[in-house]
Tab-separated table of all heavy atoms in Angstrom:
chain	number	residue	atom	x	y	z
A	505	MET	N	104.849	111.712	100.402
A	505	MET	CA	103.653	110.977	100.035
A	505	MET	C	103.282	109.953	101.101
A	505	MET	O	102.112	109.686	101.297
A	505	MET	CB	103.848	110.292	98.683
A	505	MET	CG	103.801	111.228	97.484
A	505	MET	SD	102.380	112.343	97.427
A	505	MET	CE	101.010	111.243	97.348
A	506	ARG	N	104.282	109.395	101.749
A	506	ARG	CA	103.965	108.424	102.804
A	506	ARG	C	103.133	109.083	103.895
A	506	ARG	O	102.162	108.509	104.387
A	506	ARG	CB	105.254	107.840	103.380
A	506	ARG	CG	105.971	106.928	102.411
A	506	ARG	CD	107.275	106.440	102.959
A	506	ARG	NE	107.020	105.501	104.049
A	506	ARG	CZ	107.944	104.742	104.589
A	506	ARG	NH1	109.193	104.795	104.167
A	506	ARG	NH2	107.638	103.922	105.565
A	507	TRP	N	103.509	110.289	104.273
A	507	TRP	CA	102.767	111.012	105.314
A	507	TRP	C	101.339	111.284	104.847
A	507	TRP	O	100.386	111.097	105.616
A	507	TRP	CB	103.487	112.319	105.656
A	507	TRP	CG	102.755	113.142	106.654
A	507	TRP	CD1	102.708	112.961	108.014
A	507	TRP	CD2	101.931	114.276	106.384
A	507	TRP	NE1	101.914	113.907	108.599
A	507	TRP	CE2	101.422	114.740	107.607
A	507	TRP	CE3	101.573	114.945	105.212
A	507	TRP	CZ2	100.581	115.836	107.700
A	507	TRP	CZ3	100.750	116.043	105.313
A	507	TRP	CH2	100.256	116.466	106.555
A	508	LEU	N	101.164	111.712	103.601
A	508	LEU	CA	99.817	111.972	103.088
A	508	LEU	C	98.981	110.699	103.050
A	508	LEU	O	97.792	110.724	103.360
A	508	LEU	CB	99.883	112.596	101.693
A	508	LEU	CG	100.317	114.050	101.638
A	508	LEU	CD1	100.494	114.495	100.192
A	508	LEU	CD2	99.334	114.943	102.362
A	509	CYS	N	99.600	109.591	102.680
A	509	CYS	CA	98.879	108.309	102.678
A	509	CYS	C	98.358	107.997	104.075
A	509	CYS	O	97.193	107.621	104.248
A	509	CYS	CB	99.784	107.187	102.186
A	509	CYS	SG	100.157	107.234	100.422
A	510	ARG	N	99.223	108.145	105.073
A	510	ARG	CA	98.813	107.860	106.459
A	510	ARG	C	97.757	108.858	106.934
A	510	ARG	O	96.852	108.499	107.689
A	510	ARG	CB	100.017	107.934	107.402
A	510	ARG	CG	100.978	106.791	107.275
A	510	ARG	CD	102.004	106.779	108.400
A	510	ARG	NE	102.644	108.049	108.644
A	510	ARG	CZ	103.759	108.484	108.065
A	510	ARG	NH1	104.360	107.716	107.176
A	510	ARG	NH2	104.275	109.649	108.364
A	511	LEU	N	97.868	110.110	106.498
A	511	LEU	CA	96.959	111.170	106.940
A	511	LEU	C	95.514	110.916	106.518
A	511	LEU	O	94.595	111.138	107.301
A	511	LEU	CB	97.429	112.522	106.390
A	511	LEU	CG	96.598	113.739	106.760
A	511	LEU	CD1	96.721	114.051	108.250
A	511	LEU	CD2	97.048	114.944	105.936
A	512	VAL	N	95.314	110.438	105.308
A	512	VAL	CA	93.949	110.369	104.760
A	512	VAL	C	93.391	108.961	104.582
A	512	VAL	O	92.242	108.809	104.179
A	512	VAL	CB	93.853	111.116	103.401
A	512	VAL	CG1	94.229	112.564	103.563
A	512	VAL	CG2	94.726	110.454	102.353
A	513	THR	N	94.189	107.928	104.897
A	513	THR	CA	93.746	106.560	104.630
A	513	THR	C	93.657	105.764	105.923
A	513	THR	O	94.627	105.722	106.683
A	513	THR	CB	94.718	105.856	103.656
A	513	THR	OG1	94.941	106.715	102.535
A	513	THR	CG2	94.155	104.535	103.182
A	514	PRO	N	92.524	105.125	106.189
A	514	PRO	CA	92.417	104.307	107.398
A	514	PRO	C	93.287	103.049	107.290
A	514	PRO	O	93.619	102.606	106.192
A	514	PRO	CB	90.935	103.939	107.459
A	514	PRO	CG	90.460	104.039	106.057
A	514	PRO	CD	91.287	105.099	105.401
A	515	THR	N	93.627	102.477	108.411
A	515	THR	CA	94.411	101.249	108.447
A	515	THR	C	93.766	100.189	107.570
A	515	THR	O	92.564	99.956	107.638
A	515	THR	CB	94.511	100.735	109.901
A	515	THR	OG1	95.083	101.757	110.703
A	515	THR	CG2	95.351	99.475	109.981
A	516	GLY	N	94.584	99.578	106.713
A	516	GLY	CA	94.078	98.546	105.812
A	516	GLY	C	93.338	99.093	104.602
A	516	GLY	O	92.767	98.330	103.831
A	517	GLY	N	93.349	100.411	104.436
A	517	GLY	CA	92.607	101.044	103.350
A	517	GLY	C	93.279	100.923	101.998
A	517	GLY	O	94.377	100.393	101.865
A	518	THR	N	92.600	101.444	100.993
A	518	THR	CA	93.091	101.416	99.621
A	518	THR	C	93.267	102.835	99.116
A	518	THR	O	92.373	103.671	99.262
A	518	THR	CB	92.103	100.678	98.700
A	518	THR	OG1	91.957	99.337	99.174
A	518	THR	CG2	92.591	100.647	97.263
A	519	ILE	N	94.408	103.086	98.508
A	519	ILE	CA	94.694	104.386	97.899
A	519	ILE	C	94.503	104.234	96.396
A	519	ILE	O	95.071	103.337	95.777
A	519	ILE	CB	96.118	104.839	98.242
A	519	ILE	CG1	96.211	105.072	99.747
A	519	ILE	CG2	96.500	106.071	97.434
A	519	ILE	CD1	97.589	105.339	100.258
A	520	ILE	N	93.700	105.118	95.814
A	520	ILE	CA	93.449	105.104	94.377
A	520	ILE	C	94.074	106.350	93.774
A	520	ILE	O	93.817	107.463	94.216
A	520	ILE	CB	91.942	105.070	94.078
A	520	ILE	CG1	91.313	103.819	94.706
A	520	ILE	CG2	91.687	105.110	92.573
A	520	ILE	CD1	89.804	103.792	94.641
A	521	ASP	N	94.923	106.138	92.759
A	521	ASP	CA	95.589	107.246	92.075
A	521	ASP	C	95.222	107.185	90.600
A	521	ASP	O	95.769	106.374	89.856
A	521	ASP	CB	97.098	107.137	92.267
A	521	ASP	CG	97.858	108.315	91.676
A	521	ASP	OD1	97.216	109.224	91.113
A	521	ASP	OD2	99.102	108.311	91.779
A	522	PRO	N	94.290	108.038	90.147
A	522	PRO	CA	93.846	107.974	88.754
A	522	PRO	C	94.847	108.561	87.760
A	522	PRO	O	94.662	108.446	86.566
A	522	PRO	CB	92.547	108.788	88.762
A	522	PRO	CG	92.725	109.741	89.889
A	522	PRO	CD	93.539	109.020	90.923
A	523	PHE	N	95.915	109.186	88.257
A	523	PHE	CA	96.958	109.758	87.410
A	523	PHE	C	98.308	109.302	87.973
A	523	PHE	O	99.082	110.090	88.501
A	523	PHE	CB	96.860	111.283	87.385
A	523	PHE	CG	95.485	111.762	87.003
A	523	PHE	CD1	94.600	112.214	87.968
A	523	PHE	CD2	95.070	111.738	85.686
A	523	PHE	CE1	93.327	112.660	87.629
A	523	PHE	CE2	93.792	112.166	85.334
A	523	PHE	CZ	92.917	112.628	86.312
A	524	THR	N	98.601	108.026	87.840
A	524	THR	CA	99.722	107.399	88.524
A	524	THR	C	101.084	107.966	88.131
A	524	THR	O	101.977	108.054	88.967
A	524	THR	CB	99.692	105.875	88.293
A	524	THR	OG1	98.479	105.383	88.848
A	524	THR	CG2	100.859	105.189	88.944
A	525	GLY	N	101.254	108.340	86.891
A	525	GLY	CA	102.547	108.870	86.475
A	525	GLY	C	103.650	107.866	86.713
A	525	GLY	O	103.554	106.705	86.315
A	526	SER	N	104.714	108.273	87.409
A	526	SER	CA	105.849	107.373	87.632
A	526	SER	C	105.673	106.472	88.847
A	526	SER	O	106.548	105.674	89.158
A	526	SER	CB	107.133	108.179	87.766
A	526	SER	OG	107.073	109.002	88.918
A	527	GLY	N	104.550	106.582	89.566
A	527	GLY	CA	104.236	105.641	90.633
A	527	GLY	C	104.633	106.043	92.043
A	527	GLY	O	104.620	105.207	92.944
A	528	SER	N	104.971	107.301	92.270
A	528	SER	CA	105.411	107.731	93.604
A	528	SER	C	104.368	107.465	94.686
A	528	SER	O	104.712	106.990	95.771
A	528	SER	CB	105.746	109.226	93.600
A	528	SER	OG	106.820	109.471	92.733
A	529	THR	N	103.121	107.742	94.394
A	529	THR	CA	102.065	107.507	95.377
A	529	THR	C	101.917	106.014	95.649
A	529	THR	O	101.738	105.595	96.796
A	529	THR	CB	100.731	108.098	94.899
A	529	THR	OG1	100.906	109.502	94.690
A	529	THR	CG2	99.614	107.860	95.903
A	530	GLY	N	102.022	105.196	94.620
A	530	GLY	CA	101.921	103.759	94.792
A	530	GLY	C	103.044	103.197	95.648
A	530	GLY	O	102.810	102.345	96.509
A	531	VAL	N	104.250	103.684	95.430
A	531	VAL	CA	105.383	103.238	96.242
A	531	VAL	C	105.152	103.616	97.699
A	531	VAL	O	105.339	102.810	98.608
A	531	VAL	CB	106.707	103.819	95.709
A	531	VAL	CG1	107.852	103.575	96.678
A	531	VAL	CG2	107.036	103.238	94.336
A	532	ALA	N	104.708	104.851	97.926
A	532	ALA	CA	104.426	105.296	99.300
A	532	ALA	C	103.330	104.442	99.927
A	532	ALA	O	103.428	104.057	101.099
A	532	ALA	CB	104.023	106.764	99.295
A	533	ALA	N	102.294	104.140	99.171
A	533	ALA	CA	101.194	103.317	99.688
A	533	ALA	C	101.695	101.937	100.099
A	533	ALA	O	101.358	101.438	101.176
A	533	ALA	CB	100.095	103.191	98.636
A	534	LEU	N	102.506	101.323	99.252
A	534	LEU	CA	103.039	99.999	99.578
A	534	LEU	C	103.946	100.053	100.805
A	534	LEU	O	103.878	99.182	101.673
A	534	LEU	CB	103.805	99.432	98.386
A	534	LEU	CG	102.978	99.101	97.150
A	534	LEU	CD1	103.877	98.634	96.012
A	534	LEU	CD2	101.921	98.064	97.457
A	535	GLU	N	104.773	101.080	100.879
A	535	GLU	CA	105.672	101.211	102.021
A	535	GLU	C	104.909	101.404	103.334
A	535	GLU	O	105.387	101.018	104.393
A	535	GLU	CB	106.644	102.364	101.803
A	535	GLU	CG	107.677	102.058	100.730
A	535	GLU	CD	108.562	103.232	100.388
A	535	GLU	OE1	108.251	104.380	100.780
A	535	GLU	OE2	109.583	103.002	99.714
A	536	GLU	N	103.729	101.990	103.254
A	536	GLU	CA	102.896	102.194	104.442
A	536	GLU	C	101.877	101.075	104.632
A	536	GLU	O	100.984	101.171	105.447
A	536	GLU	CB	102.192	103.552	104.365
A	536	GLU	CG	103.133	104.734	104.464
A	536	GLU	CD	103.883	104.782	105.786
A	536	GLU	OE1	103.293	104.419	106.828
A	536	GLU	OE2	105.061	105.174	105.775
A	537	GLN	N	102.000	100.015	103.842
A	537	GLN	CA	101.161	98.816	103.939
A	537	GLN	C	99.685	99.071	103.623
A	537	GLN	O	98.788	98.488	104.234
A	537	GLN	CB	101.322	98.154	105.303
A	537	GLN	CG	102.752	97.728	105.556
A	537	GLN	CD	102.945	97.075	106.899
A	537	GLN	OE1	102.116	97.198	107.801
A	537	GLN	NE2	104.034	96.362	107.032
A	538	PHE	N	99.438	99.937	102.646
A	538	PHE	CA	98.095	100.154	102.135
A	538	PHE	C	97.947	99.404	100.813
A	538	PHE	O	98.930	99.114	100.132
A	538	PHE	CB	97.824	101.643	101.879
A	538	PHE	CG	97.767	102.473	103.118
A	538	PHE	CD1	98.724	103.441	103.361
A	538	PHE	CD2	96.756	102.300	104.048
A	538	PHE	CE1	98.671	104.221	104.505
A	538	PHE	CE2	96.693	103.065	105.197
A	538	PHE	CZ	97.658	104.026	105.424
A	539	ASN	N	96.727	99.118	100.442
A	539	ASN	CA	96.443	98.601	99.106
A	539	ASN	C	96.556	99.777	98.149
A	539	ASN	O	96.338	100.929	98.527
A	539	ASN	CB	95.036	98.009	99.039
A	539	ASN	CG	94.876	96.854	99.989
A	539	ASN	OD1	95.633	95.908	99.959
A	539	ASN	ND2	93.887	96.944	100.858
A	540	PHE	N	96.857	99.489	96.891
A	540	PHE	CA	97.029	100.566	95.914
A	540	PHE	C	96.409	100.176	94.585
A	540	PHE	O	96.597	99.057	94.107
A	540	PHE	CB	98.513	100.884	95.712
A	540	PHE	CG	98.755	101.897	94.634
A	540	PHE	CD1	98.421	103.224	94.836
A	540	PHE	CD2	99.298	101.520	93.424
A	540	PHE	CE1	98.632	104.163	93.831
A	540	PHE	CE2	99.513	102.450	92.420
A	540	PHE	CZ	99.183	103.777	92.628
A	541	LEU	N	95.671	101.119	94.002
A	541	LEU	CA	95.119	100.966	92.666
A	541	LEU	C	95.537	102.187	91.866
A	541	LEU	O	95.157	103.314	92.211
A	541	LEU	CB	93.583	100.862	92.718
A	541	LEU	CG	92.865	100.855	91.381
A	541	LEU	CD1	93.280	99.651	90.553
A	541	LEU	CD2	91.374	100.880	91.584
A	542	GLY	N	96.344	101.971	90.843
A	542	GLY	CA	96.826	103.076	90.024
A	542	GLY	C	96.304	102.979	88.603
A	542	GLY	O	96.146	101.891	88.062
A	543	ILE	N	96.048	104.132	88.011
A	543	ILE	CA	95.559	104.204	86.631
A	543	ILE	C	96.459	105.171	85.873
A	543	ILE	O	96.714	106.287	86.336
A	543	ILE	CB	94.097	104.709	86.595
A	543	ILE	CG1	93.209	103.785	87.426
A	543	ILE	CG2	93.597	104.826	85.154
A	543	ILE	CD1	91.867	104.386	87.777
A	544	GLU	N	96.960	104.734	84.717
A	544	GLU	CA	97.826	105.582	83.899
A	544	GLU	C	97.581	105.266	82.434
A	544	GLU	O	97.579	104.099	82.044
A	544	GLU	CB	99.298	105.359	84.260
A	544	GLU	CG	100.272	106.162	83.454
A	544	GLU	CD	100.007	107.652	83.484
A	544	GLU	OE1	99.876	108.227	84.581
A	544	GLU	OE2	99.911	108.254	82.397
A	545	GLN	N	97.383	106.306	81.626
A	545	GLN	CA	97.088	106.070	80.215
A	545	GLN	C	98.334	106.059	79.334
A	545	GLN	O	98.322	105.503	78.248
A	545	GLN	CB	96.095	107.105	79.684
A	545	GLN	CG	96.660	108.499	79.535
A	545	GLN	CD	95.660	109.434	78.877
A	545	GLN	OE1	94.510	109.062	78.622
A	545	GLN	NE2	96.085	110.650	78.607
A	546	SER	N	99.420	106.659	79.795
A	546	SER	CA	100.639	106.727	78.994
A	546	SER	C	101.451	105.442	79.128
A	546	SER	O	101.893	105.095	80.231
A	546	SER	CB	101.494	107.910	79.449
A	546	SER	OG	102.776	107.829	78.885
A	547	PRO	N	101.687	104.731	78.024
A	547	PRO	CA	102.477	103.499	78.089
A	547	PRO	C	103.886	103.730	78.655
A	547	PRO	O	104.416	102.881	79.360
A	547	PRO	CB	102.544	103.023	76.636
A	547	PRO	CG	101.383	103.671	75.961
A	547	PRO	CD	101.185	104.981	76.668
A	548	GLU	N	104.474	104.873	78.354
A	548	GLU	CA	105.814	105.175	78.872
A	548	GLU	C	105.807	105.238	80.397
A	548	GLU	O	106.643	104.625	81.062
A	548	GLU	CB	106.311	106.506	78.318
A	548	GLU	CG	106.536	106.505	76.822
A	548	GLU	CD	106.789	107.906	76.291
A	548	GLU	OE1	107.098	108.818	77.089
A	548	GLU	OE2	106.691	108.073	75.070
A	549	TYR	N	104.875	106.007	80.935
A	549	TYR	CA	104.811	106.140	82.386
A	549	TYR	C	104.316	104.856	83.053
A	549	TYR	O	104.720	104.540	84.166
A	549	TYR	CB	103.943	107.329	82.795
A	549	TYR	CG	104.690	108.626	82.698
A	549	TYR	CD1	104.516	109.474	81.617
A	549	TYR	CD2	105.585	109.010	83.693
A	549	TYR	CE1	105.211	110.658	81.517
A	549	TYR	CE2	106.289	110.187	83.611
A	549	TYR	CZ	106.104	111.020	82.520
A	549	TYR	OH	106.805	112.183	82.438
A	550	LEU	N	103.466	104.119	82.377
A	550	LEU	CA	102.984	102.858	82.924
A	550	LEU	C	104.135	101.894	83.169
A	550	LEU	O	104.230	101.277	84.230
A	550	LEU	CB	101.949	102.226	81.995
A	550	LEU	CG	101.352	100.911	82.471
A	550	LEU	CD1	100.632	101.091	83.801
A	550	LEU	CD2	100.419	100.355	81.415
A	551	SER	N	105.054	101.799	82.218
A	551	SER	CA	106.186	100.890	82.400
A	551	SER	C	107.118	101.375	83.510
A	551	SER	O	107.664	100.569	84.271
A	551	SER	CB	106.953	100.684	81.086
A	551	SER	OG	107.490	101.902	80.626
A	552	ILE	N	107.284	102.683	83.648
A	552	ILE	CA	108.101	103.238	84.736
A	552	ILE	C	107.450	102.927	86.083
A	552	ILE	O	108.108	102.453	87.010
A	552	ILE	CB	108.288	104.754	84.556
A	552	ILE	CG1	109.131	105.042	83.324
A	552	ILE	CG2	108.905	105.377	85.812
A	552	ILE	CD1	109.136	106.508	82.906
A	553	ALA	N	106.150	103.191	86.184
A	553	ALA	CA	105.434	102.939	87.442
A	553	ALA	C	105.462	101.455	87.786
A	553	ALA	O	105.680	101.090	88.943
A	553	ALA	CB	103.989	103.432	87.327
A	554	GLU	N	105.255	100.613	86.801
A	554	GLU	CA	105.268	99.168	87.047
A	554	GLU	C	106.623	98.727	87.602
A	554	GLU	O	106.683	97.974	88.582
A	554	GLU	CB	104.958	98.419	85.756
A	554	GLU	CG	104.900	96.925	85.943
A	554	GLU	CD	104.549	96.202	84.653
A	554	GLU	OE1	104.983	96.644	83.566
A	554	GLU	OE2	103.848	95.181	84.740
A	555	ALA	N	107.702	99.215	87.024
A	555	ALA	CA	109.039	98.847	87.498
A	555	ALA	C	109.275	99.343	88.924
A	555	ALA	O	109.816	98.607	89.764
A	555	ALA	CB	110.101	99.413	86.557
A	556	ARG	N	108.854	100.566	89.209
A	556	ARG	CA	109.036	101.117	90.555
A	556	ARG	C	108.211	100.357	91.586
A	556	ARG	O	108.682	100.091	92.696
A	556	ARG	CB	108.661	102.596	90.585
A	556	ARG	CG	109.675	103.462	89.833
A	556	ARG	CD	109.389	104.928	90.005
A	556	ARG	NE	109.707	105.312	91.382
A	556	ARG	CZ	109.189	106.385	91.977
A	556	ARG	NH1	108.344	107.157	91.338
A	556	ARG	NH2	109.526	106.675	93.212
A	557	LEU	N	106.984	100.004	91.238
A	557	LEU	CA	106.127	99.273	92.172
A	557	LEU	C	106.639	97.853	92.409
A	557	LEU	O	106.625	97.363	93.545
A	557	LEU	CB	104.685	99.249	91.660
A	557	LEU	CG	103.986	100.609	91.687
A	557	LEU	CD1	102.731	100.584	90.831
A	557	LEU	CD2	103.679	101.029	93.095
A	558	LEU	N	107.119	97.198	91.368
A	558	LEU	CA	107.698	95.859	91.538
A	558	LEU	C	108.947	95.918	92.415
A	558	LEU	O	109.145	95.068	93.282
A	558	LEU	CB	108.024	95.243	90.181
A	558	LEU	CG	106.832	94.770	89.359
A	558	LEU	CD1	107.277	94.366	87.951
A	558	LEU	CD2	106.130	93.620	90.050
A	559	HIS	N	109.771	96.924	92.192
A	559	HIS	CA	110.984	97.089	93.002
A	559	HIS	C	110.616	97.342	94.464
A	559	HIS	O	111.196	96.728	95.371
A	559	HIS	CB	111.822	98.240	92.451
A	559	HIS	CG	113.078	98.490	93.206
A	559	HIS	ND1	114.174	97.660	93.115
A	559	HIS	CD2	113.410	99.458	94.079
A	559	HIS	CE1	115.122	98.117	93.897
A	559	HIS	NE2	114.688	99.206	94.499
A	560	ALA	N	109.659	98.219	94.699
A	560	ALA	CA	109.238	98.527	96.073
A	560	ALA	C	108.646	97.302	96.755
A	560	ALA	O	108.954	97.027	97.916
A	560	ALA	CB	108.218	99.672	96.069
A	561	SER	N	107.823	96.543	96.038
A	561	SER	CA	107.208	95.365	96.665
A	561	SER	C	108.244	94.280	96.933
A	561	SER	O	108.175	93.594	97.955
A	561	SER	CB	106.049	94.832	95.826
A	561	SER	OG	106.501	94.386	94.576
A	562	SER	N	109.236	94.128	96.071
A	562	SER	CA	110.279	93.124	96.329
A	562	SER	C	111.160	93.548	97.492
A	562	SER	O	111.577	92.710	98.294
A	562	SER	CB	111.112	92.851	95.080
A	562	SER	OG	111.865	93.987	94.714
A	563	ASN	N	111.435	94.846	97.624
A	563	ASN	CA	112.198	95.338	98.778
A	563	ASN	C	111.432	95.108	100.070
A	563	ASN	O	112.017	94.732	101.082
A	563	ASN	CB	112.525	96.824	98.626
A	563	ASN	CG	113.669	97.066	97.683
A	563	ASN	OD1	114.386	96.146	97.292
A	563	ASN	ND2	113.851	98.316	97.299
A	564	LEU	N	110.130	95.333	100.048
A	564	LEU	CA	109.313	95.118	101.245
A	564	LEU	C	109.270	93.638	101.601
A	564	LEU	O	109.353	93.279	102.778
A	564	LEU	CB	107.903	95.663	101.024
A	564	LEU	CG	107.803	97.182	100.932
A	564	LEU	CD1	106.404	97.594	100.513
A	564	LEU	CD2	108.169	97.830	102.253
A	565	ALA	N	109.161	92.777	100.609
A	565	ALA	CA	109.143	91.339	100.870
A	565	ALA	C	110.478	90.892	101.478
A	565	ALA	O	110.509	90.085	102.399
A	565	ALA	CB	108.852	90.574	99.586
A	566	ALA	N	111.575	91.436	100.968
A	566	ALA	CA	112.891	91.095	101.497
A	566	ALA	C	113.037	91.582	102.942
A	566	ALA	O	113.596	90.891	103.787
A	566	ALA	CB	113.985	91.694	100.619
A	567	THR	N	112.510	92.754	103.227
A	567	THR	CA	112.579	93.307	104.575
A	567	THR	C	111.805	92.426	105.561
A	567	THR	O	112.264	92.129	106.637
A	567	THR	CB	112.033	94.743	104.615
A	567	THR	OG1	112.799	95.544	103.717
A	567	THR	CG2	112.088	95.335	105.991
A	568	VAL	N	110.620	92.011	105.161
A	568	VAL	CA	109.800	91.151	106.010
A	568	VAL	C	110.496	89.816	106.239
A	568	VAL	O	110.536	89.313	107.344
A	568	VAL	CB	108.397	90.940	105.389
A	568	VAL	CG1	107.634	89.859	106.105
A	568	VAL	CG2	107.628	92.249	105.397
A	569	THR	N	111.076	89.250	105.200
A	569	THR	CA	111.776	87.969	105.310
A	569	THR	C	112.964	88.087	106.263
A	569	THR	O	113.203	87.212	107.086
A	569	THR	CB	112.247	87.488	103.927
A	569	THR	OG1	111.114	87.368	103.076
A	569	THR	CG2	112.960	86.163	104.018
A	570	ASN	N	113.717	89.173	106.162
A	570	ASN	CA	114.882	89.378	107.021
A	570	ASN	C	114.490	89.599	108.480
A	570	ASN	O	115.270	89.298	109.369
A	570	ASN	CB	115.710	90.560	106.529
A	570	ASN	CG	116.432	90.245	105.231
A	570	ASN	OD1	116.704	89.091	104.925
A	570	ASN	ND2	116.733	91.269	104.461
A	571	GLN	N	113.298	90.114	108.721
A	571	GLN	CA	112.853	90.374	110.094
A	571	GLN	C	112.373	89.095	110.776
A	571	GLN	O	112.305	89.039	111.981
A	571	GLN	CB	111.746	91.415	110.115
A	571	GLN	CG	112.243	92.800	109.771
A	571	GLN	CD	111.115	93.818	109.745
A	571	GLN	OE1	109.948	93.483	109.919
A	571	GLN	NE2	111.464	95.074	109.532
A	572	GLU	N	112.037	88.081	110.005
A	572	GLU	CA	111.487	86.847	110.589
A	572	GLU	C	112.562	85.941	111.109
A	572	GLU	O	113.651	85.911	111.044
A	572	GLU	CB	110.645	86.099	109.555
A	572	GLU	CG	109.404	86.858	109.201
A	572	GLU	CD	108.588	86.181	108.122
A	572	GLU	OE1	109.065	85.205	107.500
A	572	GLU	OE2	107.478	86.614	107.884
């Protein structure tokens, strides 16, 4: 998914996923430093995606902090 994000999204762009599911596309978008907008109607999958996205963003923040 990271490769697909880079393939179709300009630098600084936003990736929109109307069927977010467990959040794989969102995690890839964050890892590639794109903005992400996800939409999910299932409460079960929404909580899974939210946890994965929070984990990915905290890992990225830690990586940036360690590089400084």
Side-chain angles (χ1 to χ4, degrees):
M505 286 310 299
R506 290 176 70 169
W507 177 79
L508 286 173
C509 289
R510 287 191 311 270
L511 180 68
V512 301
T513 311
T515 303
T518 300
I519 295 172
I520 301 172
D521 184 0
F523 307 102
T524 298
S526 64
S528 297
T529 301
V531 170
L534 293 176
E535 289 174 347
E536 293 298 324
Q537 300 180 342
F538 292 114
N539 299 305
F540 175 72
L541 173 62
I543 302 164
E544 179 55 52
Q545 71 174 5
S546 168
E548 295 170 17
Y549 279 101
L550 181 61
S551 62
I552 293 168
E554 182 178 36
R556 289 187 71 202
L557 291 165
L558 287 172
H559 180 74
S561 63
S562 66
N563 282 348
L564 291 172
T567 301
V568 169
T569 302
N570 289 335
Q571 289 178 356
E572 293 177 350

